[in-house]
Amino acid sequence: MMKRRIMGRALLCGIAGACLSGGAQAAVGVAPPAMYPASTWQGQSQAVLRVLDRLDGHLELLTVPVGGSATYRSLSVGVESCVSRPQTLAADAGALLHLKDSSDPGRPPFDGWMLAQEPSVATYGSPLYDVRVVSCAGVPTAPQAGPLPAVKAPVLAGADVPVEEGGDAPVSAPGSASGGPVPLAPDSRNPIPLAPSTGAAPSLAPAPPSGQPLAPPEADPGLE
């Protein structure tokens, strides 16, 4: 039986890669992963856009530099800015666009932000073209996301495991509300009496007044 236990412990150690020596160890605080704030954006030098011609269903991917423009058939596309989410945040991109269809002079141009993951927030109301933001590309530009914020590991209070639980910390004696030790048994010099000294069971009836006999009970008128 002892040999089986030793072999089982060696097998577990081989699977885990290491064994804990001296029983359970003290708990150690683990730092959470470093993350950017939810409002952080990183600027990039190019915007990748998808343009759909609703007449023939043709799709075109345009890579437009920030500050520049491109043309798709009768549609002019200008990009003023492109920002994307940095690492540790959910992927998203937004572009500040200027859109104008020369074949529809009565329609006002579109000037505003479009988001890749929320395309319904802002759309180009052209019956001919549908424009969507795909992503940002190129080199990083302003605004800069900056380095990841530093994260410290939390310090756990009372993380030592007592010896009676398999750890190495000394056993702490239980304390009372005033800080003194709490006795686990009554003091042998002042034992707690468990029964009357006479050995008779205590009476639960009230004692009569001294020097006066008890009066007989009155008759119940309902029984007459």
Side-chain angles (χ1 to χ4, degrees):
M1 181 64 68
M2 183 61 68
K3 185 177 181 180
R4 289 182 179 178
R5 291 181 180 178
I6 295 175
M7 292 178 64
R9 179 176 175 84
L11 180 60
L12 290 176
C13 291
I15 295 175
C19 286
L20 295 177
S21 60
Q25 302 297 314
V28 178
V30 178
M35 297 186 65
Y36 283 105
S39 59
T40 306
W41 293 90
Q42 171 63 58
Q44 290 185 267
S45 61
Q46 295 176 342
V48 181
L49 309 175
R50 186 193 70 188
V51 183
L52 167 67
D53 189 332
R54 291 189 173 97
L55 288 181
D56 56 10
H58 181 264
L59 280 172
E60 185 77 16
L61 281 180
L62 301 178
T63 301
V64 185
V66 172
S69 61
T71 301
Y72 173 70
R73 298 183 177 179
S74 61
L75 180 66
S76 174
V77 180
V79 178
E80 295 187 21
S81 180
C82 193
V83 293
S84 60
R85 292 293 195 182
Q87 56 179 334
T88 75
L89 296 181
D92 200 357
L96 183 56
L97 304 177
H98 176 81
L99 307 175
K100 177 64 178 177
D101 185 5
S102 60
S103 66
D104 189 4
R107 182 171 303 280
F110 173 88
D111 290 286
W113 286 92
M114 285 188 179
L115 299 176
Q117 299 300 325
E118 297 83 14
S120 60
V121 174
T123 58
Y124 180 43
S126 170
L128 180 59
Y129 298 109
D130 178 72
V131 181
R132 300 291 179 93
V133 175
V134 177
S135 63
C136 295
V139 297
T141 60
Q144 299 287 346
L148 282 169
V151 179
K152 296 183 179 180
V155 178
L156 304 180
D160 293 337
V161 182
V163 175
E164 65 270 16
E165 299 180 9
D168 301 326
V171 180
S172 58
S176 63
S178 60
V182 176
L184 300 180
D187 190 355
S188 58
R189 295 170 295 179
N190 299 312
I192 299 176
L194 302 179
S197 57
T198 58
S203 176
L204 301 179
S210 58
Q212 297 181 4
L214 293 176
E218 297 181 359
D220 190 351
L223 299 178
E224 295 180 355

